[in-house]
Amino acid sequence: MQTTINYRYERSASRLTVGAHLFGILALILLLVWLLHYRGGIDYDSDNSDRVFNVHPFLMFFGFIFFAGEAMMAYKTVMSGHKVQKYVHALLHLVALCSGIFGICINDMYSLHSWIGLTTFILYGLQVPATFLFSRGMSESSRLRIVPWHMSMGRALLYLSICAALTGLMEKFAFLRISNVLGRRESHLINFTGLSILLFGIFVDLSVALARYV
Amino acid sequence: MQTTINYRYERSASRLTVGAHLFGILALILLLVWLLHYRGGIDYDSDNSDRVFNVHPFLMFFGFIFFAGEAMMAYKTVMSGHKVQKYVHALLHLVALCSGIFGICINDMYSLHSWIGLTTFILYGLQVPATFLFSRGMSESSRLRIVPWHMSMGRALLYLSICAALTGLMEKFAFLRISNVLGRRESHLINFTGLSILLFGIFVDLSVALARYV
């Protein structure tokens, strides 16, 4: 009976990863439509400061959050041995870390978005290398003891990064609205992008946690 | 060995609830200082529309999010039998639901904050009564099967409500800043309030989930 139930939740958890992929890709498409069609495009090396700025939301969502989320789900999505899953998990986190380093954009440290964003990135920037370094010299039993803390920290960081993304969208939204350049369509687009990012986070989180609830 | 580890995580989980209480109370104090000292006070029945508006953040954080979080932790914080814990859990959720009904404030459905907030409240407004109704006629084994879903749904809703609170703070922040009425002190106060709310959410979530990771 217990095995049947566990199996049921494992299956549900892998269905949740499908949901996470879908919401992640949906958020990416909506974000690209917003940045390319409404906000003048994305260009790292341009005279137009808006286009340079647009690199930030793109890299922070697609490069950082999306890859970090995929890394968290690697143990469920990669149909292979534990060792391969572990390498994919580490590789995807490295991609996320590098994207974050290129994508972070500190104009000022005034708003709630910048506070949450920088906190997230510093903690993430500590967790990824710390995991690499500490887990090397550890015995199997110490490693197993660390796992719940590593997962909890990772989940909290995902939570933080989603909050950073949403406060960022909300900040941009408020400035565009006050400047009277925000039409009804663009505002809906921003909101749907925000909801998709939020649902991506929820699905990643549940897929990681659900099978462990039994 | 397994029992020792489980016990260790149970102890850690109850320490996390202490962290949750502290951040919850800190957030409440900061929010009150902000609303009472910087934003003109809180009054449900006033001619000053700002004071009437201030009821909304107060009730939505203290009445809704804080009580819902405490309800989620009741199984860890109430040192009593399972039945008493269950009643406290239900009672605190009812207080949260009622506060939400009084505190919700729909001026327009334009911003990301309003979208996330209303989604959260509708889903919460379905989950609480649905749990009361469905769990009554259920056998013990069906109930046990539902628990992981109930917990996952609850955790996702906590996640949503924290995002609603932070986007709300960010929206107000941006409008105050654009209107040039936001000093350095007030902006720091808003940011610390936001971070405390976020940490409250993370601590509640981890205290519920940590003991289950083993």
Coordinates of all heavy atoms in Angstrom, one line a residue, chain B residues 82-160:
Chain B
H82 N -3.6 15.8 18.5 CA -3.9 16.1 17.1 C -5.2 16.8 16.9 O -5.3 17.7 16.0 CB -3.8 14.7 16.3 CG -4.0 14.9 14.8 ND1 -2.9 15.5 14.1 CD2 -5.0 14.7 14.0 CE1 -3.3 15.5 12.8 NE2 -4.6 15.1 12.7
K83 N -6.2 16.4 17.7 CA -7.5 17.0 17.5 C -7.5 18.5 17.8 O -8.1 19.3 17.0 CB -8.5 16.3 18.3 CG -9.9 16.3 17.8 CD -10.8 15.3 18.3 CE -12.2 15.3 17.6 NZ -13.1 14.3 18.0
V84 N -6.9 18.8 18.9 CA -6.8 20.2 19.3 C -6.0 21.0 18.2 O -6.5 22.1 17.8 CB -6.1 20.4 20.7 CG1 -5.9 21.9 21.0 CG2 -6.9 19.7 21.7
Q85 N -4.9 20.4 17.8 CA -4.1 21.1 16.7 C -5.0 21.4 15.5 O -4.9 22.4 14.9 CB -2.9 20.2 16.3 CG -1.9 20.1 17.4 CD -0.8 19.1 17.0 OE1 -1.0 18.2 16.2 NE2 0.4 19.3 17.5
K86 N -5.8 20.4 15.1 CA -6.7 20.5 14.0 C -7.7 21.6 14.1 O -7.9 22.4 13.2 CB -7.4 19.2 13.7 CG -7.7 18.9 12.3 CD -7.9 17.5 12.0 CE -9.2 17.0 12.5 NZ -9.4 15.6 12.1
Y87 N -8.3 21.7 15.4 CA -9.2 22.8 15.6 C -8.5 24.2 15.5 O -9.1 25.1 15.0 CB -9.9 22.6 16.9 CG -11.0 21.6 16.8 CD1 -11.0 20.4 17.6 CD2 -12.1 21.8 16.0 CE1 -12.0 19.5 17.5 CE2 -13.2 20.9 15.9 CZ -13.1 19.7 16.6 OH -14.1 18.8 16.5
V88 N -7.3 24.3 16.1 CA -6.6 25.6 16.1 C -6.3 25.9 14.6 O -6.5 27.1 14.2 CB -5.3 25.5 17.0 CG1 -4.5 26.8 16.8 CG2 -5.7 25.3 18.4
H89 N -5.8 24.9 13.9 CA -5.5 25.1 12.5 C -6.7 25.7 11.7 O -6.6 26.7 11.0 CB -5.1 23.8 11.9 CG -4.8 23.7 10.4 ND1 -3.7 24.2 9.9 CD2 -5.6 23.2 9.3 CE1 -3.7 24.1 8.5 NE2 -4.8 23.5 8.2
A90 N -7.9 25.1 11.9 CA -9.1 25.5 11.3 C -9.6 26.9 11.7 O -9.9 27.7 10.9 CB -10.2 24.5 11.5
L91 N -9.5 27.1 13.0 CA -9.9 28.4 13.6 C -9.1 29.6 13.1 O -9.6 30.6 12.6 CB -9.8 28.3 15.1 CG -10.5 29.5 15.9 CD1 -12.0 29.5 15.8 CD2 -10.0 29.5 17.3
L92 N -7.8 29.4 13.1 CA -6.9 30.4 12.6 C -7.1 30.7 11.1 O -7.1 31.8 10.6 CB -5.4 30.0 12.8 CG -4.9 30.0 14.3 CD1 -3.5 29.4 14.4 CD2 -4.9 31.5 14.8
H93 N -7.4 29.6 10.3 CA -7.7 29.8 8.9 C -9.0 30.6 8.7 O -9.1 31.4 7.8 CB -7.8 28.5 8.1 CG -6.5 28.1 7.6 ND1 -5.7 29.0 6.8 CD2 -5.8 26.9 7.6 CE1 -4.6 28.3 6.5 NE2 -4.6 27.1 7.0
L94 N -10.0 30.4 9.6 CA -11.2 31.1 9.5 C -11.0 32.6 9.8 O -11.6 33.4 9.1 CB -12.3 30.5 10.5 CG -13.2 29.5 10.0 CD1 -14.2 29.0 11.0 CD2 -14.0 30.0 8.7
V95 N -10.2 32.9 10.8 CA -9.9 34.3 11.1 C -9.2 34.9 9.9 O -9.6 36.0 9.5 CB -8.9 34.4 12.4 CG1 -8.4 35.8 12.6 CG2 -9.6 33.8 13.6
A96 N -8.3 34.2 9.3 CA -7.6 34.7 8.1 C -8.6 35.0 7.0 O -8.5 36.1 6.4 CB -6.5 33.7 7.6
L97 N -9.5 34.1 6.8 CA -10.5 34.2 5.7 C -11.4 35.5 5.9 O -11.6 36.3 5.0 CB -11.3 33.0 5.6 CG -12.3 32.9 4.4 CD1 -11.6 32.9 3.1 CD2 -13.2 31.7 4.5
C98 N -11.8 35.6 7.2 CA -12.7 36.8 7.5 C -11.9 38.1 7.4 O -12.4 39.1 6.8 CB -13.2 36.7 8.9 SG -14.3 35.3 9.1
S99 N -10.7 38.1 7.9 CA -9.9 39.3 7.7 C -9.7 39.7 6.2 O -9.7 40.9 5.9 CB -8.5 39.2 8.3 OG -8.6 38.7 9.6
G100 N -9.5 38.7 5.4 CA -9.3 38.9 4.0 C -10.5 39.5 3.4 O -10.5 40.4 2.6
I101 N -11.7 39.0 3.8 CA -13.0 39.5 3.2 C -13.1 40.9 3.6 O -13.5 41.8 2.7 CB -14.2 38.6 3.8 CG1 -14.1 37.2 3.1 CG2 -15.5 39.3 3.4 CD1 -15.0 36.2 3.8
F102 N -12.8 41.3 4.8 CA -12.9 42.7 5.2 C -11.8 43.6 4.6 O -12.0 44.7 4.3 CB -12.9 42.9 6.7 CG -14.2 42.6 7.4 CD1 -14.3 41.4 8.1 CD2 -15.2 43.4 7.2 CE1 -15.5 41.1 8.7 CE2 -16.5 43.1 7.8 CZ -16.6 41.9 8.5
G103 N -10.6 43.0 4.4 CA -9.5 43.8 4.0 C -9.3 43.9 2.5 O -8.6 44.8 2.1
I104 N -9.9 43.1 1.8 CA -9.7 43.1 0.3 C -10.2 44.5 -0.2 O -11.2 45.0 0.3 CB -10.3 41.9 -0.4 CG1 -9.5 41.6 -1.7 CG2 -11.7 42.1 -0.7 CD1 -9.7 40.2 -2.2
C105 N -9.5 45.0 -1.2 CA -9.8 46.3 -1.7 C -9.6 46.4 -3.2 O -8.5 46.3 -3.6 CB -8.9 47.3 -1.0 SG -8.7 48.9 -1.8
I106 N -10.7 46.3 -3.9 CA -10.6 46.3 -5.4 C -10.9 47.6 -6.0 O -12.1 47.9 -6.2 CB -11.5 45.1 -6.0 CG1 -11.1 43.8 -5.2 CG2 -11.2 45.0 -7.4 CD1 -12.1 42.7 -5.5
N107 N -9.9 48.4 -6.2 CA -10.2 49.7 -6.9 C -10.2 49.5 -8.4 O -11.1 50.0 -9.1 CB -9.1 50.7 -6.6 CG -9.2 51.3 -5.2 OD1 -10.4 51.4 -4.7 ND2 -8.1 51.6 -4.6
D108 N -9.2 48.7 -8.9 CA -9.2 48.4 -10.3 C -8.5 47.1 -10.5 O -7.9 46.6 -9.5 CB -8.6 49.5 -11.2 CG -7.1 49.7 -10.8 OD1 -6.3 48.7 -11.0 OD2 -6.8 50.7 -10.3
M109 N -8.7 46.4 -11.6 CA -8.0 45.1 -11.9 C -6.9 45.3 -12.9 O -6.7 44.5 -13.8 CB -9.0 44.1 -12.3 CG -9.9 43.5 -11.3 SD -8.9 42.9 -9.9 CE -8.1 41.5 -10.7
Y110 N -6.1 46.4 -12.7 CA -5.2 46.8 -13.7 C -3.8 46.2 -13.5 O -3.2 45.6 -14.3 CB -5.0 48.3 -13.6 CG -4.7 49.0 -15.0 CD1 -5.7 49.1 -15.9 CD2 -3.5 49.4 -15.3 CE1 -5.5 49.7 -17.2 CE2 -3.2 50.0 -16.5 CZ -4.2 50.1 -17.5 OH -3.9 50.7 -18.7
S111 N -3.3 46.2 -12.2 CA -1.9 45.9 -12.0 C -1.7 44.4 -11.7 O -2.6 43.7 -11.3 CB -1.4 46.7 -10.8 OG -1.9 46.3 -9.6
L112 N -0.4 44.0 -11.7 CA 0.0 42.7 -11.4 C -0.4 42.3 -10.0 O -0.8 41.2 -9.7 CB 1.5 42.5 -11.6 CG 2.1 41.2 -11.4 CD1 1.6 40.1 -12.3 CD2 3.7 41.2 -11.6
H113 N -0.3 43.3 -9.1 CA -0.6 43.1 -7.7 C -2.1 42.7 -7.5 O -2.4 41.7 -6.8 CB -0.4 44.4 -6.9 CG -1.0 44.4 -5.5 ND1 -0.7 43.5 -4.5 CD2 -2.0 45.2 -5.0 CE1 -1.4 43.7 -3.4 NE2 -2.2 44.7 -3.7
S114 N -3.0 43.4 -8.3 CA -4.4 43.1 -8.1 C -4.7 41.7 -8.7 O -5.5 40.9 -8.2 CB -5.3 44.1 -8.8 OG -4.9 44.3 -10.2
W115 N -4.0 41.3 -9.8 CA -4.2 40.0 -10.4 C -3.8 38.9 -9.5 O -4.5 37.9 -9.3 CB -3.5 39.9 -11.7 CG -4.1 40.6 -12.9 CD1 -4.8 41.8 -12.8 CD2 -4.1 40.2 -14.3 NE1 -5.2 42.2 -14.1 CE2 -4.8 41.2 -15.0 CE3 -3.6 39.1 -15.0 CZ2 -5.0 41.1 -16.4 CZ3 -3.8 39.0 -16.3 CH2 -4.5 40.0 -17.0
I116 N -2.6 39.0 -8.9 CA -2.1 38.0 -8.0 C -2.9 37.9 -6.8 O -3.3 36.9 -6.3 CB -0.6 38.2 -7.7 CG1 0.3 38.2 -8.9 CG2 -0.1 37.2 -6.6 CD1 1.8 38.5 -8.6
G117 N -3.2 39.1 -6.2 CA -4.0 39.2 -5.0 C -5.4 38.5 -5.2 O -5.8 37.7 -4.3
L118 N -6.1 38.9 -6.2 CA -7.4 38.3 -6.4 C -7.4 36.8 -6.6 O -8.2 36.0 -6.1 CB -8.2 39.0 -7.5 CG -9.7 38.8 -7.4 CD1 -10.3 39.5 -6.2 CD2 -10.4 39.3 -8.6
T119 N -6.4 36.4 -7.5 CA -6.2 34.9 -7.7 C -6.0 34.2 -6.4 O -6.7 33.2 -6.1 CB -5.0 34.6 -8.6 OG1 -5.1 35.5 -9.8 CG2 -4.9 33.2 -9.0
T120 N -5.1 34.7 -5.6 CA -4.8 34.1 -4.3 C -6.1 34.0 -3.4 O -6.4 32.9 -2.9 CB -3.9 35.0 -3.5 OG1 -2.8 35.3 -4.3 CG2 -3.4 34.3 -2.2
F121 N -6.8 35.1 -3.4 CA -8.0 35.1 -2.5 C -9.1 34.2 -2.9 O -9.8 33.6 -2.1 CB -8.5 36.6 -2.2 CG -9.2 36.6 -1.0 CD1 -8.5 36.5 0.2 CD2 -10.6 36.8 -1.0 CE1 -9.2 36.5 1.4 CE2 -11.3 36.8 0.2 CZ -10.6 36.7 1.4
I122 N -9.3 34.1 -4.3 CA -10.3 33.2 -4.8 C -10.0 31.8 -4.5 O -10.8 31.0 -3.9 CB -10.6 33.4 -6.3 CG1 -11.2 34.8 -6.5 CG2 -11.4 32.3 -6.9 CD1 -11.3 35.2 -8.0
L123 N -8.7 31.4 -4.7 CA -8.3 30.0 -4.5 C -8.3 29.7 -3.0 O -8.7 28.6 -2.6 CB -6.8 29.8 -5.0 CG -6.7 29.8 -6.5 CD1 -5.2 29.7 -6.9 CD2 -7.5 28.7 -7.2
Y124 N -7.9 30.7 -2.2 CA -8.0 30.5 -0.7 C -9.4 30.3 -0.3 O -9.8 29.5 0.6 CB -7.3 31.6 0.0 CG -7.1 31.5 1.5 CD1 -6.1 30.7 2.0 CD2 -8.0 32.0 2.4 CE1 -5.9 30.6 3.4 CE2 -7.9 31.9 3.7 CZ -6.8 31.2 4.2 OH -6.7 31.0 5.6
G125 N -10.3 31.2 -0.8 CA -11.7 31.1 -0.5 C -12.3 29.9 -0.9 O -13.4 29.5 -0.4
L126 N -11.7 29.1 -1.9 CA -12.3 27.8 -2.3 C -11.7 26.7 -1.4 O -12.4 25.8 -1.0 CB -11.9 27.5 -3.7 CG -12.6 28.4 -4.8 CD1 -12.1 28.1 -6.2 CD2 -14.1 28.1 -4.8
Q127 N -10.4 26.8 -1.1 CA -9.7 25.8 -0.4 C -10.2 25.6 1.1 O -10.4 24.5 1.5 CB -8.2 26.0 -0.3 CG -7.4 25.3 0.8 CD -6.3 24.4 0.3 OE1 -6.4 23.8 -0.9 NE2 -5.3 24.1 1.1
V128 N -10.4 26.7 1.8 CA -10.8 26.6 3.2 C -12.2 25.9 3.3 O -12.3 24.9 4.0 CB -10.7 28.0 3.9 CG1 -11.3 27.9 5.3 CG2 -9.3 28.5 4.0
P129 N -13.2 26.4 2.6 CA -14.5 25.7 2.8 C -14.5 24.3 2.2 O -15.1 23.4 2.8 CB -15.5 26.6 2.0 CG -14.8 27.9 1.8 CD -13.4 27.6 1.8
A130 N -13.8 24.1 1.1 CA -13.7 22.8 0.4 C -13.2 21.8 1.4 O -13.6 20.6 1.5 CB -12.9 22.8 -0.8
T131 N -12.1 22.2 2.1 CA -11.5 21.3 3.1 C -12.5 20.9 4.2 O -12.6 19.7 4.6 CB -10.2 21.9 3.7 OG1 -9.4 22.4 2.7 CG2 -9.5 20.9 4.5
F132 N -13.2 21.9 4.7 CA -14.2 21.6 5.7 C -15.2 20.6 5.2 O -15.5 19.6 5.9 CB -14.9 22.9 6.1 CG -14.3 23.7 7.2 CD1 -13.5 24.8 6.9 CD2 -14.4 23.3 8.5 CE1 -12.9 25.5 7.8 CE2 -13.7 24.0 9.5 CZ -13.0 25.1 9.2
L133 N -15.8 20.9 4.0 CA -16.9 20.1 3.5 C -16.4 18.7 3.2 O -17.0 17.7 3.6 CB -17.5 20.8 2.3 CG -18.2 22.1 2.6 CD1 -18.7 22.7 1.3 CD2 -19.4 21.8 3.5
F134 N -15.3 18.6 2.4 CA -15.0 17.2 1.8 C -14.4 16.3 2.9 O -14.7 15.1 2.9 CB -14.0 17.4 0.7 CG -14.6 17.9 -0.6 CD1 -14.3 19.1 -1.2 CD2 -15.6 17.1 -1.2 CE1 -14.9 19.5 -2.3 CE2 -16.2 17.6 -2.3 CZ -15.9 18.8 -2.9
S135 N -13.6 16.9 3.8 CA -12.9 16.0 4.8 C -13.9 15.4 5.8 O -13.6 14.4 6.4 CB -11.8 16.8 5.5 OG -12.4 17.8 6.3
R136 N -15.1 15.9 5.9 CA -16.1 15.4 6.8 C -16.5 13.9 6.5 O -16.5 13.1 7.4 CB -17.4 16.3 6.8 CG -17.1 17.7 7.4 CD -18.4 18.3 8.0 NE -18.1 19.0 9.2 CZ -18.3 18.6 10.4 NH1 -19.0 17.4 10.6 NH2 -18.0 19.3 11.4
G137 N -16.9 13.7 5.3 CA -17.4 12.4 4.9 C -16.4 11.4 4.5 O -16.7 10.3 4.0
M138 N -15.1 11.7 4.7 CA -14.0 10.9 4.2 C -13.6 9.8 5.1 O -13.5 10.0 6.3 CB -12.8 11.7 3.8 CG -12.8 12.1 2.4 SD -11.3 13.0 2.0 CE -11.7 13.6 0.4
S139 N -13.1 8.6 4.6 CA -12.5 7.6 5.4 C -11.1 8.1 5.7 O -10.5 8.9 5.1 CB -12.5 6.3 4.6 OG -11.5 6.4 3.6
E140 N -10.5 7.4 6.8 CA -9.2 7.8 7.2 C -8.2 7.7 6.1 O -7.3 8.5 5.9 CB -8.8 7.0 8.4 CG -7.7 7.5 9.3 CD -7.9 8.9 9.8 OE1 -9.1 9.3 10.1 OE2 -7.0 9.7 9.9
S141 N -8.3 6.6 5.3 CA -7.2 6.4 4.3 C -7.4 7.4 3.1 O -6.4 7.8 2.6 CB -7.3 4.9 3.8 OG -8.5 4.8 3.0
S142 N -8.6 7.7 2.8 CA -8.7 8.8 1.7 C -8.2 10.1 2.2 O -7.5 10.8 1.5 CB -10.2 9.0 1.3 OG -10.9 7.8 1.4
R143 N -8.4 10.4 3.5 CA -7.9 11.6 4.1 C -6.4 11.7 4.0 O -5.8 12.7 3.6 CB -8.3 11.7 5.5 CG -9.3 12.8 5.8 CD -9.5 13.0 7.2 NE -11.0 12.8 7.5 CZ -11.5 13.0 8.7 NH1 -10.8 13.3 9.7 NH2 -12.8 12.9 8.8
L144 N -5.8 10.6 4.3 CA -4.3 10.5 4.3 C -3.8 10.7 2.9 O -2.7 11.3 2.7 CB -3.8 9.2 4.8 CG -3.7 9.1 6.4 CD1 -3.2 7.7 6.8 CD2 -2.7 10.1 6.9
R145 N -4.6 10.2 1.9 CA -4.1 10.4 0.5 C -4.2 11.8 0.1 O -3.5 12.3 -0.8 CB -5.0 9.5 -0.4 CG -4.1 8.4 -1.0 CD -4.8 7.8 -2.2 NE -6.2 7.7 -2.2 CZ -6.9 6.6 -1.9 NH1 -6.2 5.4 -1.7 NH2 -8.2 6.5 -2.0
I146 N -5.2 12.6 0.7 CA -5.4 14.0 0.3 C -4.4 14.9 0.9 O -4.0 16.0 0.4 CB -6.8 14.4 0.7 CG1 -7.9 13.6 -0.1 CG2 -7.1 15.9 0.6 CD1 -7.9 14.0 -1.6
V147 N -3.8 14.5 2.1 CA -2.9 15.4 2.9 C -1.8 16.0 2.0 O -1.6 17.2 2.1 CB -2.3 14.6 4.1 CG1 -1.1 15.4 4.7 CG2 -3.4 14.5 5.2
P148 N -1.0 15.3 1.2 CA 0.0 15.9 0.5 C -0.5 17.0 -0.5 O 0.1 18.0 -0.6 CB 0.7 14.8 -0.3 CG 0.3 13.5 0.4 CD -1.0 13.8 1.0
W149 N -1.7 16.7 -1.1 CA -2.2 17.7 -2.0 C -2.7 19.0 -1.2 O -2.5 20.1 -1.7 CB -3.4 17.1 -2.8 CG -2.9 16.1 -3.7 CD1 -3.0 14.7 -3.6 CD2 -2.2 16.3 -4.9 NE1 -2.4 14.1 -4.7 CE2 -1.9 15.1 -5.5 CE3 -1.8 17.5 -5.6 CZ2 -1.2 15.0 -6.7 CZ3 -1.1 17.4 -6.8 CH2 -0.8 16.1 -7.4
H150 N -3.3 18.7 -0.1 CA -3.8 19.8 0.8 C -2.6 20.7 1.2 O -2.7 21.9 1.1 CB -4.5 19.2 2.0 CG -5.0 20.3 3.0 ND1 -6.0 21.1 2.8 CD2 -4.5 20.6 4.2 CE1 -6.2 21.9 3.8 NE2 -5.2 21.6 4.7
M151 N -1.5 20.0 1.6 CA -0.3 20.8 2.1 C 0.3 21.5 0.9 O 0.7 22.7 1.0 CB 0.7 19.8 2.7 CG 0.3 19.3 4.1 SD 1.6 18.3 4.8 CE 2.9 19.5 5.1
S152 N 0.4 20.9 -0.3 CA 1.0 21.5 -1.4 C 0.2 22.7 -1.8 O 0.8 23.8 -2.1 CB 1.1 20.5 -2.6 OG 1.9 19.4 -2.2
M153 N -1.1 22.6 -1.9 CA -2.0 23.7 -2.3 C -1.8 24.8 -1.3 O -1.7 26.0 -1.6 CB -3.4 23.1 -2.2 CG -4.5 24.1 -2.7 SD -4.4 24.4 -4.5 CE -5.6 25.6 -4.7
G154 N -1.8 24.5 0.0 CA -1.6 25.5 1.1 C -0.3 26.2 0.9 O -0.3 27.4 1.0
R155 N 0.8 25.5 0.7 CA 2.1 26.1 0.5 C 2.1 27.0 -0.7 O 2.7 28.1 -0.7 CB 3.2 25.0 0.4 CG 3.5 24.4 1.8 CD 4.7 23.5 1.7 NE 5.7 24.0 0.9 CZ 6.2 23.4 -0.2 NH1 5.8 22.2 -0.5 NH2 7.1 24.0 -0.9
A156 N 1.5 26.5 -1.8 CA 1.4 27.3 -3.0 C 0.7 28.6 -2.7 O 1.1 29.7 -3.2 CB 0.8 26.6 -4.2
L157 N -0.4 28.5 -2.0 CA -1.2 29.7 -1.7 C -0.4 30.7 -0.8 O -0.6 31.9 -0.9 CB -2.5 29.3 -1.0 CG -3.6 28.8 -2.0 CD1 -4.8 28.3 -1.2 CD2 -4.0 29.9 -2.9
L158 N 0.4 30.2 0.2 CA 1.2 31.1 1.0 C 2.2 31.8 0.1 O 2.3 33.1 0.2 CB 2.0 30.2 2.0 CG 2.9 31.1 2.9 CD1 2.1 31.8 3.9 CD2 3.9 30.2 3.6
Y159 N 2.8 31.1 -0.8 CA 3.7 31.6 -1.8 C 3.0 32.8 -2.6 O 3.5 33.9 -2.7 CB 4.0 30.4 -2.8 CG 5.2 30.4 -3.6 CD1 5.7 29.2 -4.0 CD2 5.9 31.5 -4.0 CE1 6.8 29.0 -4.8 CE2 7.0 31.4 -4.7 CZ 7.5 30.2 -5.2 OH 8.6 30.1 -5.9
L160 N 1.8 32.5 -3.1 CA 1.1 33.5 -3.9 C 0.8 34.7 -3.0 O 0.9 35.8 -3.5 CB -0.3 32.9 -4.3 CG -0.3 32.1 -5.6 CD1 -1.5 31.2 -5.7 CD2 -0.3 33.1 -6.8

